[in-house]
Amino acid sequence: MADRLLTVAEAAEQLGTGERFIRRLIAERRIRYVKLGRPVRVPESAVAEYIEARTVEPTRRTRTQYGRAA
């Protein structure tokens, strides 16, 4: 099944950023893209992979014992 190809503007909207950021990701080859002559498209799965790879899971912090008398 083929992936939906997003324009730079649509990819930016999905990530909640500007088009310039998406174009920089493409220029630095930090996200997959398809070049159709001059126009550039970003597969929807590439945006999902980018989000997944940069998602940081929360960790539970343990309380320290500062302030307690020995």
Side-chain angles (χ1 to χ4, degrees), residues 22 26 32:
I22 301 299
I26 291 168
R32 285 187 301 114

Side-chain angles (χ1 to χ4, degrees), residues 10-69:
E10 291 171 336
E13 187 177 326
Q14 279 198 354
L15 287 177
T17 64
E19 290 181 35
R20 186 174 180 185
F21 178 71
I22 301 299
R23 292 195 186 280
R24 190 177 64 171
L25 291 178
I26 291 168
E28 295 173 356
R29 299 187 189 280
R30 293 170 48 196
I31 193 167
R32 285 187 301 114
Y33 65 94
V34 178
K35 191 150 174 74
L36 305 169
R38 182 176 165 96
V40 175
R41 300 290 184 259
V42 180
E44 221 170 11
S45 63
V47 174
E49 289 170 10
Y50 184 82
I51 293 169
E52 184 66 32
R54 281 148 186 85
T55 300
V56 178
E57 296 298 326
T59 59
R60 185 177 176 132
R61 290 178 39 170
T62 58
R63 285 186 97 172
T64 59
Q65 299 296 323
Y66 294 117
R68 286 185 119 182

